[in-house]
């Protein structure tokens, strides 16, 4: 009789940089409702647990993001206040977070928006065209403006959780869904503590400095629609 091989059981935490995931998911799989995007995210994380060499056991999915903006911002082109609490984006985000909270073993880690400094500005590519004379001020349209608002505390929360999971040895492996090289110090810390640190950048290009300090790359997006039909 053949000898039975025992696959290693690896306790895995999946950390999701929310803003990054939503951008990449929209790029790969298009627009979806908030509930559909939450289902897709959970399904994507479950697929990352599948591996032919080891049995990954989910510890928890940590999702990092900011609450949607509720305040009013003056739009210089429209010359009126935009109430973000009444926008489609606000309603979508609330639905998305509500659906995520209902998922098993999903924890939301929320930062904050620096909405006190939020403002509309002309898109960088349009500014270049203005300076080169390729477009005039009177030719500008609403789509040439973008809202500028910064997140506060999200990266810090990701770093703290990586450190906590590593120092307490709560998991054997961390899979980070992101492409941000700012997480290099956290990745190095985890590896020093003996944690297998994997990165899932969803086909986004990552800097060599980040690639150097991870234990593996899960650069897959999975054709979710096609696989479900098989």
């Amino acid at each position: 009789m053949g000898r039975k091989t025992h696959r290693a059981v690896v306790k895995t935490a999946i950390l999701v940089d929310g803003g990054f995931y939503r951008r990449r998911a929209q790029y790969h799989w298009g627009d979806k409702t908030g509930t559909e995007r939450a289902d897709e995210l959970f399904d994507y994380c479950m697929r990352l647990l599948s591996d032919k060499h080891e049995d990954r056991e989910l510890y928890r999915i940590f999702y990092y993001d900011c609450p949607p903006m509720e305040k009013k911002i003056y739009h210089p082109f429209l010359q009126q206040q935009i109430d973000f609490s009444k926008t489609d984006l606000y309603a979508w985000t609330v639905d998305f977070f509500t659906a995520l909270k209902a998922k098993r073993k999903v924890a939301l880690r929320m930062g904050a928006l620096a909405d006190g400094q939020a403002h509309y500005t002309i898109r960088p590519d349009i500014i270049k065209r203005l300076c080169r004379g390729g477009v005039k001020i009177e030719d500008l349209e609403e789509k040439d403006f973008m809202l500028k608002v910064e997140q506060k505390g999200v990266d810090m929360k990701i770093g703290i959780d990586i450190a906590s999971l590593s120092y307490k040895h709560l998991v054997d492996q961390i899979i980070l869904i992101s492409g941000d090289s700012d997480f290099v110090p956290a990745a190095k810390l985890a590896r020093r503590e003996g944690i297998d640190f994997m990165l899932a950048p969803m086909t986004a290009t990552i800097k060599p400095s980040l690639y150097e300090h991870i234990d593996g790359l899960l650069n897959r997006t999975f054709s979710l629609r096609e696989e479900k039909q098989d």
Side-chain angles (χ1 to χ4, degrees):
M1 292 179 64
R3 209 175 182 189
K4 271 192 173 182
T5 57
H6 296 282
R7 286 155 55 96
V9 177
V10 179
K11 188 175 290 187
T12 302
I14 300 177
L15 281 59
V16 185
D17 180 346
F20 175 85
Y21 177 85
R22 288 188 283 111
R23 288 192 301 273
R24 297 305 295 172
Q26 203 274 339
Y27 171 78
H28 285 295
W29 303 306
D31 294 328
K32 294 187 178 181
T33 67
T35 300
E36 289 171 342
R37 184 109 287 159
D39 291 342
E40 170 206 275
L41 168 59
F42 188 79
D43 188 32
Y44 180 70
C45 290
M46 292 300 102
R47 290 170 187 264
L48 288 177
L49 293 174
S50 176
D51 186 84
K52 62 182 179 181
H53 300 297
E54 60 193 19
D55 288 324
R56 292 174 181 156
E57 176 185 300
L58 180 64
Y59 173 73
R60 191 162 289 128
I61 298 169
F62 297 92
Y63 179 86
Y64 304 84
D65 214 327
C66 289
M69 188 162 63
E70 299 180 345
K71 68 177 298 182
K72 296 178 180 179
I73 306 291
Y74 181 76
H75 197 300
F77 180 81
L78 299 177
Q79 297 188 9
Q80 65 182 42
Q81 298 283 348
I82 304 297
D83 187 349
F84 278 85
S85 68
K86 296 179 181 178
T87 61
D88 291 340
L89 177 60
Y90 180 88
W92 185 98
T93 308
V94 170
D95 289 344
F96 175 68
F97 288 156
T98 300
L100 269 187
K101 290 174 184 176
K103 302 291 184 187
R104 176 162 166 73
K105 290 195 173 185
V106 174
L108 270 63
R109 297 281 200 262
M110 306 305 287
L113 291 175
D115 54 9
Q117 291 80 45
H119 62 279
Y120 277 97
T121 184
I122 301 174
R123 305 182 74 88
D125 58 314
I126 301 300
I127 291 177
K128 288 181 181 179
R129 291 178 62 193
L130 280 169
C131 293
R132 292 170 182 167
V135 64
K136 298 179 180 179
I137 290 290
E138 55 266 29
D139 297 327
L140 292 180
E141 303 176 57
E142 183 182 352
K143 64 182 178 65
D144 296 328
F145 291 77
M146 59 179 284
L147 178 69
K148 189 170 183 180
V149 56
E150 294 183 359
Q151 292 185 338
K152 296 173 62 178
V154 174
D155 288 357
M156 181 180 67
K157 288 178 183 291
I158 295 176
I160 288 174
D161 279 349
I162 290 174
S164 179
L165 291 167
S166 302
Y167 281 136
K168 295 179 181 179
H169 291 275
L170 297 174
V171 297
D172 305 304
Q173 181 182 74
I174 292 174
I175 298 176
L176 175 63
I177 300 177
S178 183
D180 194 338
S181 58
D182 288 346
F183 298 121
V184 166
K188 292 172 68 174
L189 182 152
R191 297 178 77 200
R192 285 198 301 267
E193 291 299 311
I195 305 299
D196 185 34
F197 194 93
M198 309 284 284
L199 186 72
M202 301 177 72
T203 73
T205 302
I206 62 172
K207 293 183 179 179
S209 60
L210 181 55
Y211 188 79
E212 179 184 356
H213 296 292
I214 58 177
D215 292 304
L217 197 65
L218 299 174
N219 209 3
R220 298 173 286 173
T221 58
F222 308 112
S223 182
L224 299 180
R225 186 178 304 166
E226 292 176 7
E227 289 189 13
K228 287 180 179 179
Q229 293 174 348
D230 290 342

